Amino acid sequence: MPALSAPPRGCRQDGPLRFGELRARLEGISPKVLTATLRRLEEHGPLTRTVFAEVPPRVEQHVGHAAP
């Protein structure tokens, strides 16, 4: 699998996005594939995931620039 050096084109944005918002921007991607991709991006740095202690749970993803 190729290295992820930058977020996918539809993910670039100025503020945090929720899972459903990301999925809507990336037409045709399955929830399973999007989840796996977000986990890889979080693990390798360009994505920050914030979990809010709310009911129902709220999670936001913020895509930034990868560290050199």
Side-chain angles (χ1 to χ4, degrees), residues 16-59:
L17 291 174
R18 296 182 71 180
F19 184 86
E21 295 168 325
L22 280 171
R23 188 164 177 228
R25 287 183 182 212
L26 302 170
E27 296 176 9
I29 192 168
S30 72
K32 182 178 179 178
V33 171
L34 179 56
T35 298
T37 303
L38 291 173
R39 287 181 181 161
R40 280 195 312 271
L41 287 170
E42 182 181 15
E43 183 179 321
H44 296 289
L47 181 120
T48 303
R49 183 173 182 258
T50 306
V51 179
F52 296 88
E54 299 176 352
V55 175
R58 179 170 57 118
V59 179

